[in-house]
Amino acid sequence: MLATAVPAHVPTDRVVDFDIFNPPGIETDYFAAWTALLDGPGLVWTTANGGHWIGARGDIVRQLWADADRLSSECLAVTPGLGEVMQFIPLQSDGPAHKAFRTPVVKGFASRFITALEPGVEAAARELIAGLRDRGECDFVTDFAEILPLNIFLNLIDVPLEDRPRLRQLGVQLTRPDGSITVEGLKQAADDYLWPFIEQRMREPGDDLFSRILALPVGDRPWSVDEAQRMCRNLLFGGLDTVAAMVGMVALHLARHPGDQRLLRENSDLIPAAADELMRRYPTVAVSRNAVVDVEVDGITIRTGDLVYLPSVLHNLDPACFASPEEVHFDRGLTPVRHTTMGVGAHRCVGAGLARMEVIVFLQEWLAGMPEISLSPTRAVTMKGGNVGACTSIPLVWDAKLAP
Ligand code: HEM
C-alpha cells in the first residue's frame, strides 16, 4: 500500500488510512470490513493507494454513482495502469460516445435472448452438480463458482465447452492473479482467445451475442476492429469474476442458513425474489470515477481530477437506506428495491438480466440436485478485497447418501 500526502483541499477530519484492497478483517468478512466506514463521515479521503475519496454513506454512494455528467468512468479503477491497458467499451466511455456504444450492447442482452440462453445455463449447472453430488464435500469457489460463468460465456458466444480450460485460466488470473501474468499479458491472452470469434462474427454473423452486437451500428457507423475487441473484452471480464463472486456469496448464505435452504427447496416459487434479495445483501462490486469538474457534496469539494471510489456495499448495507440491511428477507425482493449491486445510472450493468437469471438457475438447480449443505467444520471460509470482492474458499460438506 502506498500512503501519500493529503492534498490541501481535504479537511483533516476526513482523512483515513483505508486500503480498499485490504481493509482490516477482509479475509474473514468482506462486509464487516467495509461497513466499519459507515460509522464515520459520508465522504472520506484515504491516503492509501495514491490517495482518493471513498463514498462512505449510502445516499452519497448512490448520488455520486448516478452523476455521470460530473464524474467520468474513463479511469476504470484505483489500480494504476489498469484503465489504460483494458480500455473497456462501454465501461470506460462517457457521454454521447458511451451511449452510442452501450445501445447495441444493451440490445444484445435483450430479455428474449437471456430467456433463450436459460436451458444452456441449466444444463451447465446440472453438469457441474452431477460431478459434485457424490463427493460429500467441495470447495465451492473452485469447483463451482469459478466454472459456471465460464460455461455461460462459452454458451453466449456459441463456442464449444471444450474451450473451458483455456478460458478458465484467464478467469483465475483475473480473480486471483498469482503474479505469473501482467495486466498487459492478461489483456493480450483475452484478445488472443477472443479474436478468432470476433473476426468470424464480423465477417459472417451468427446468432450469438457477439454477432448480434457487432451487427448493430455504433451511432450511424459500423464497429471498428479495435472497438469490437475492447467491447468483447469488457463482456468477458465483466461477466466472469462478478458472477463467480455473487454465486459464491449466495452459496455461503445457504450454507450458513439451513432454514433458507429448506424454505426455498419447499417453495421454489420464492426463488426469484430470494435471488433479488440475496443480490442486494451481498454486493461486492465497487467502481471508480474521476471528477471532471469540482463537485460539492457532504460539505466537501471533490476537486477536478480527484478519484472517487464507490462501493455498493456501503449503499446496500447502510441502515439509513435499507431497514435492517444485514437481514435477508425474501419478501423484500417482491417490491422494487433500488440497490446498487448492479450499479446505477448510465453505466448500470448491461448483464444484470443475465446475472439474475444465473443466480436463479443456480438456486433452482442446486437445491433440486444437492442435499443440505453446511460449512466444513475444519476448514475456514476465506475472502479477499478488490474492485470485485469475493470468497476465495468456501469449503462445503454434505451427506452424499442423502443426495436426491
Ligand atoms: C452478479 C454479477 C454482476 C455484477 C454484480 C455486476 C456489476 C456491475 C456494476 C456494478 C456495473 C456498473 C459499473 C459502473 O458503474 O462503472 C456493471 C457494468 C457492466 N457489466 Fe456487470 N455485473 C455482473 C454481471 C455481468 C455480466 C454477466 C456481464 C456480461 C456478460 C456484465 C457486463 C457488464 C458491462 C459490459 C458493464 C458496463 C456497462 C456500461 O458501462 O454501460 N456484468 N456491472
Side-chain angles (χ1 to χ4, degrees), residues 9 19 30-32 51 86 156 159 183 203 205 228 242 282 289 295 308 324 336 357 378:
H9 67 285
D19 180 359
Y30 171 90
F31 303 97
M86 289 301 177
L156 266 176
V159 299
V183 177
R203 204 165 20 86
T242 48
Y282 298 105
R289 299 285 193 259
V295 178
V308 187
S324 309
M357 182 267 275
T378 53

Side-chain angles (χ1 to χ4, degrees), residues 17-92:
D17 176 13
F18 190 92
D19 180 359
I20 55 159
F21 297 107
N22 203 16
I26 195 91
E27 53 297 321
T28 52
D29 192 340
Y30 171 90
F31 303 97
W34 271 99
T35 51
L37 281 182
L38 287 173
D39 295 335
L43 187 70
V44 293
W45 175 274
T46 177
T47 50
N49 298 303
H52 61 88
W53 295 105
I54 302 175
R57 210 174 65 211
D59 58 334
I60 289 178
V61 169
R62 198 171 194 290
Q63 177 198 330
L64 293 177
W65 202 323
D67 196 345
D69 291 339
R70 298 189 298 169
L71 294 156
S72 161
S73 289
E74 225 175 51
C75 59
L76 181 64
V78 165
T79 318
L82 193 64
E84 287 84 344
V85 171
M86 289 301 177
Q87 296 283 316
F88 288 139
I89 284 178
L91 192 61
Q92 287 179 255

Side-chain angles (χ1 to χ4, degrees), residues 65 90-91 98 102 235 238-239 242 287 289 341-343 347 349-350:
W65 202 323
L91 192 61
H98 171 249
R102 183 178 160 96
L235 294 185
T242 48
V287 298
R289 299 285 193 259
T341 300
M342 312 308 288
H347 290 271
C349 182
V350 295

Side-chain angles (χ1 to χ4, degrees), residues 43-342:
L43 187 70
V44 293
W45 175 274
T46 177
T47 50
N49 298 303
H52 61 88
W53 295 105
I54 302 175
R57 210 174 65 211
D59 58 334
I60 289 178
V61 169
R62 198 171 194 290
Q63 177 198 330
L64 293 177
W65 202 323
D67 196 345
D69 291 339
R70 298 189 298 169
L71 294 156
S72 161
S73 289
E74 225 175 51
C75 59
L76 181 64
V78 165
T79 318
L82 193 64
E84 287 84 344
V85 171
M86 289 301 177
Q87 296 283 316
F88 288 139
I89 284 178
L91 192 61
Q92 287 179 255
S93 50
D94 295 316
H98 171 249
K99 190 158 180 267
F101 287 132
R102 183 178 160 96
T103 303
V105 177
V106 167
K107 287 185 181 160
F109 279 93
S111 54
R112 64 183 186 284
F113 299 124
I114 304 304
T115 308
L117 203 65
E118 212 169 312
V121 177
E122 287 166 356
R126 261 185 237 135
E127 184 201 317
L128 282 173
I129 290 165
L132 291 177
R133 198 183 285 134
D134 296 333
R135 283 174 40 185
E137 60 166 3
C138 75
D139 188 325
F140 185 83
V141 174
T142 46
D143 291 330
F144 194 97
E146 286 178 357
I147 302 178
L148 185 71
L150 298 183
N151 287 350
I152 289 159
F153 193 76
L154 294 167
N155 261 316
L156 266 176
I157 60 173
D158 193 20
V159 299
L161 292 188
E162 287 89 79
D163 276 2
R164 189 199 299 157
R166 188 165 168 204
L167 199 52
R168 178 159 160 76
Q169 205 34 41
L170 295 183
V172 168
Q173 288 303 328
L174 179 77
T175 316
R176 286 181 282 137
D178 60 7
S180 65
I181 188 164
T182 59
V183 177
E184 288 83 359
L186 188 57
K187 182 219 126 196
Q188 196 53 50
D191 284 356
D192 291 347
Y193 174 77
L194 293 171
W195 175 243
F197 307 115
I198 300 173
E199 192 272 328
Q200 198 209 4
R201 296 339 184 217
M202 286 180 99
R203 204 165 20 86
E204 216 179 297
D207 55 6
D208 59 285
L209 178 73
F210 287 174
S211 295
R212 284 199 299 274
I213 298 174
L214 293 169
L216 293 165
V218 178
D220 56 2
R221 60 170 180 81
W223 291 83
S224 73
V225 165
D226 174 60
E227 290 162 353
Q229 285 185 300
R230 291 161 61 191
M231 182 273 292
C232 294
R233 196 188 300 148
N234 193 167
L235 294 185
L236 170 67
F237 285 134
L240 294 186
D241 204 15
T242 48
V243 175
M246 178 55 69
V247 173
M249 290 299 174
V250 171
L252 179 59
H253 177 90
L254 292 179
R256 284 179 171 160
H257 299 87
D260 283 350
Q261 291 184 53
R262 282 193 291 275
L263 180 69
L264 294 178
R265 198 172 273 124
E266 283 159 19
N267 303 277
S268 57
D269 53 320
L270 288 180
I271 286 178
D276 291 337
E277 168 65 347
L278 291 167
M279 290 175 82
R280 176 204 65 81
R281 171 60 182 83
Y282 298 105
T284 61
V285 176
V287 298
S288 304
R289 299 285 193 259
N290 258 114
V292 289
V293 293
D294 286 2
V295 178
E296 305 286 333
V297 64
D298 199 34
I300 300 288
T301 305
I302 297 173
R303 283 277 165 83
T304 307
D306 282 356
L307 196 67
V308 187
Y309 196 71
L310 304 169
S312 51
V313 56
L314 294 185
H315 173 239
N316 292 7
L317 295 188
D318 183 344
C321 298
F322 297 91
S324 309
E326 303 208 351
E327 290 174 16
V328 166
H329 296 296
F330 294 151
D331 53 355
R332 208 196 292 255
L334 294 173
T335 48
V337 180
R338 288 150 52 87
H339 62 71
T340 41
T341 300
M342 312 308 288

